[in-house]
């Protein structure tokens, strides 16, 4: 029971590891002066409204920062043929031995499984006064 639960939890964690290692996203930040106005993940950040004033002025007080968190682009896929001959031989013999290790037992025939014992009317040992000492 514990082994099955551990196996499920471990499989779930490995799936999330693969998912999050390949995930890419951007974080956009909008500053007005030195004050952080908005932070957005996956979308454009909201502006502070000073862009209309900046068109009249030549110097801008706002700035945008974009941080890109890049995930892994390529995953390594290996096949059985990429292994050396010794490793292929070891893996195939290990699988063969492991599968044959847990063969089920043959069904045993119980000849008296449907037999029900007779009902006892009286206790014969008490009736005959015979006791083992």
């Amino acid at each position: 029971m514990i082994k099955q639960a551990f196996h499920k939890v471990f499989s779930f964690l490995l799936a999330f590891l693969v998912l999050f290692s390949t995930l890419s996203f951007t974080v956009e930040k909008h500053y007005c002066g030195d004050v952080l106005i908005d932070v957005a993940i996956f979308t454009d950040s909201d502006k502070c409204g000073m862009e209309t004033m900046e068109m009249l002025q030549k110097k801008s007080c706002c700035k945008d920062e974009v941080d890109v968190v890049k995930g892994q682009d390529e995953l390594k896929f290996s096949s059985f043929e990429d292994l050396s001959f010794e490793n292929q031989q070891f893996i195939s013999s290990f699988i063969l031995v492991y599968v044959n290790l847990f063969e089920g037992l043959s069904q045993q025939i119980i000849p008296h499984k449907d037999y029900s014992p007779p009902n006892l009317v009286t206790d014969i040992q008490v009736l005959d006064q015979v006791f083992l000492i």
Side-chain angles (χ1 to χ4, degrees):
M1 181 72 179
I2 294 174
K3 186 177 180 181
Q4 290 175 347
F6 179 72
H7 180 68
K8 288 181 182 180
V9 168
F10 190 67
S11 300
F12 187 73
L13 290 175
L14 283 178
F16 269 107
L17 177 71
V18 170
L19 175 69
F20 287 120
S21 68
T22 58
L23 183 71
S24 300
F25 60 94
T26 60
V27 178
E28 291 192 17
K29 299 176 188 174
H30 181 75
Y31 289 96
C32 189
D34 290 334
V35 178
L36 179 64
I37 301 297
D38 188 33
V39 176
I41 301 175
F42 300 118
T43 60
D44 293 333
S45 60
D46 293 335
K47 307 300 180 200
C48 61
M50 296 293 286
E51 290 81 21
T52 56
M53 301 284 280
E54 290 173 5
M55 290 183 189
L56 300 174
Q57 299 174 354
K58 294 189 179 193
K59 196 172 189 182
S60 172
C61 69
C62 296
K63 67 177 181 176
D64 292 323
E65 282 186 12
V66 177
D67 297 329
V68 177
V69 178
K70 229 179 159 181
Q72 186 177 358
D73 289 338
E74 296 179 10
L75 294 176
K76 182 180 177 184
F77 294 106
S78 298
S79 65
F80 188 71
E81 288 78 24
D82 293 341
L83 298 173
S84 66
F85 178 72
E86 291 83 14
N87 288 342
Q88 287 179 0
Q89 189 175 16
F90 173 76
I91 290 173
S92 31
S93 62
F94 178 77
I95 290 172
L96 180 68
V97 169
Y98 190 77
V99 166
N100 290 334
L101 182 66
F102 298 110
E103 282 186 0
L105 297 175
S106 62
Q107 190 74 9
Q108 292 182 347
I109 298 172
I110 303 172
H112 56 278
K113 82 174 178 182
D114 294 328
Y115 173 75
S116 61
N119 293 330
L120 293 177
V121 178
T122 59
D123 194 1
I124 296 176
Q125 288 181 344
V126 174
L127 184 65
D128 294 335
Q129 296 289 317
V130 177
F131 302 105
L132 294 176
I133 298 176

